Amino acid sequence: MSVTILGIESSCDDTSAAVISDGILLSNVISSQSVHEAYGGVVPELASRAHQQNIVPTVSEALRQAGLSPSDLSAIAFTRGPGLLGSLLVGTSFAKGLAVSTGVPVVDVNHLHAHVLSHFIRTDEGQEVPEFPFLCLLISGGNSQIVMVRSPFDMEIVGRTIDDAAGEAFDKCAKVMGLPYPGGPHIDRLSEHGNPHAFKFSRPHIGGLDYSFSGLKTSFLYTLRDNLREDPEFVEKNKADLAASLQATIIRILLDKLRRAVDMYGVGSVAIGGGVSANSGVRKAVSDFCDSRGLKAWIPPRPFTTDNAAMVAMAGYFKYLENDFCDLSKPPFARVEI
Ligand code: KG4
């Protein structure tokens, strides 16, 4: 009998629903929230209100595209955390309500596990998936971690940011350049035409496999402040070079520790995940690094990098196969480790 999972994601500012049947993706619908653009960042109260408006049409559309009705589902998987509590409550409550009304079980999913497990989403039977163990560089707006992945349920964070995430560095630096939120994709596009060696920004000197991005943010801000005193048009005239130099510095910081982790753990493959893994420079740098070391690189298709329910359905599928269901009384959690 087929195992068909509806995944629901509402941890931040994307409402998403997806259906996976026997590991094959049937639909993945994402409703993004433009309401936050005017504020330069996600406004939690507005995000939860938008989730409430989006959740019914998003789930309906995912089921429609999959050609299924709720009674065809084996289970409903939902992101339980980490994330914004008000946003998580919408997806969690909706998943539980739908489960009660259809009589199917619910599976709670850790959002960070889901990002890692996005590499197991297949769109056709013959598609290759990673072999365990592998290292995953998980980089998003809220996280920057190196994860040792031994099985779908055995993941260990071996390095993490001690302050800001890589996505935060992209977004905050973009903001001081006057770019819209989220700034990461704008920096990526501008970088294509810029010189990555035009400006030097500070890089952290911390031991082990941990990251730090707060010093880079400050160094970027001071470069702009000092140059704007001399020339009010400085940012406008140097947009592409600033973006390219910032992106190159972030990639260098990320790759330094990833290289060290590969040396320490001796894995045969490396994956990337999370919103920042959509970045063209990061994707190329990780591919080139893996090629140079004879490692297999797992670079996710762009729709599976930022928040999406396909990865939630995939993680839910793994848990379903282990009969790992969630009690309806379990609340969402804003903070949790992998
Ligand atoms: O994983 P995600 O969708 O949300 C969470 O943080 O959970 O990641 C969002 C982050 C934002 O910081 C955004 O600027 C960044 O991913 N991002 C990018 C790119 N696309 C998204 N950063 C750099 N280059 C991109 N192309």
Side-chain angles (χ1 to χ4, degrees):
M1 205 170 117
S2 291
V3 174
T4 304
I5 310 288
L6 169 69
I8 295 177
E9 158 64 28
S10 72
S11 65
C12 191
D13 60 339
D14 291 306
T15 319
S16 181
V19 179
I20 280 189
S21 191
D22 293 333
I24 307 289
L25 185 68
L26 301 184
S27 63
N28 184 34
V29 178
I30 302 173
S31 307
S32 299
Q33 304 176 358
S34 54
V35 65
H36 308 286
E37 277 165 22
Y39 302 92
V42 177
V43 183
E45 178 59 25
L46 295 180
S48 47
R49 287 186 207 185
H51 282 305
Q52 285 182 29
Q53 285 172 344
N54 293 343
I55 191 110
V56 172
T58 305
V59 171
S60 302
E61 182 58 16
L63 287 170
R64 193 195 66 74
Q65 287 183 16
L68 298 172
S69 67
S71 58
D72 298 317
L73 300 171
S74 312
I76 299 168
F78 65 96
T79 301
R80 190 169 161 214
L84 300 172
L85 199 58
S87 291
L88 289 164
L89 272 167
V90 178
T92 303
S93 310
F94 187 86
K96 289 179 184 174
L98 188 59
V100 168
S101 68
T102 50
V104 300
V106 279
V107 179
D108 59 324
V109 167
N110 178 315
H111 182 79
L112 302 173
H113 276 178
H115 269 303
V116 175
L117 296 174
S118 65
H119 289 279
F120 293 84
I121 301 168
R122 288 179 299 147
T123 45
D124 66 67
E125 298 275 351
Q127 207 171 319
E128 254 194 296
V129 294
E131 277 180 22
F132 298 105
F134 61 91
L135 281 170
C136 184
L137 177 64
L138 194 53
I139 37 178
S140 67
N143 291 280
S144 289
Q145 307 175 335
I146 301 177
V147 185
M148 180 67 188
V149 188
R150 298 189 179 90
S151 81
F153 309 105
D154 182 2
M155 299 188 196
E156 181 193 354
I157 298 172
V158 296
R160 74 182 80 210
T161 180
I162 59 166
D163 42 51
D164 299 328
E168 162 105 5
F170 270 112
D171 294 343
K172 289 282 157 59
C173 294
K175 191 174 177 180
V176 297
M177 283 173 71
L179 297 170
Y181 175 85
H186 296 280
I187 297 286
D188 194 356
R189 269 192 296 277
L190 282 168
S191 292
E192 284 171 33
H193 312 290
N195 173 6
H197 308 292
F199 297 97
K200 290 264 173 292
F201 303 117
S202 75
R203 288 188 292 120
H205 298 283
I206 50 170
L209 299 178
D210 287 340
Y211 287 116
S212 165
F213 289 96
S214 64
L216 167 61
K217 269 183 3 188
T218 310
S219 154
F220 189 85
L221 183 68
Y222 285 0
T223 302
L224 261 60
R225 185 197 60 186
D226 295 347
N227 283 283
L228 281 167
R229 277 196 197 121
E230 308 292 318
D231 178 7
E233 302 293 309
F234 172 74
V235 174
E236 202 46 48
K237 285 179 188 160
N238 294 283
K239 250 184 181 154
D241 286 351
L242 283 166
S245 303
L246 171 69
Q247 184 168 300
T249 310
I250 293 175
I251 292 171
R252 201 163 157 198
I253 295 171
L254 290 172
L255 267 284
D256 275 353
K257 296 296 171 89
L258 184 62
R259 198 173 289 117
R260 204 178 287 184
V262 165
D263 291 341
M264 281 171 72
Y265 288 90
V267 289
S269 60
V270 170
I272 55 173
V276 177
S277 70
N279 183 268
S280 339
V282 170
R283 295 164 82 85
K284 183 173 182 324
V286 173
S287 292
D288 290 350
F289 163 64
C290 286
D291 285 352
S292 73
R293 294 288 191 94
L295 304 170
K296 170 93 182 142
W298 293 95
I299 311 290
R302 281 202 164 84
F304 303 150
T305 56
T306 45
D307 291 345
N308 67 88
M311 66 184 194
V312 177
M314 191 68 234
Y317 176 71
F318 279 118
K319 286 187 92 171
Y320 181 94
L321 296 181
E322 297 283 316
N323 286 316
D324 188 353
F325 300 111
C326 172
D327 194 294
L328 287 178
S329 64
K330 281 189 182 169
F333 39 68
R335 284 182 175 273
V336 70
E337 297 247 309
I338 229 168

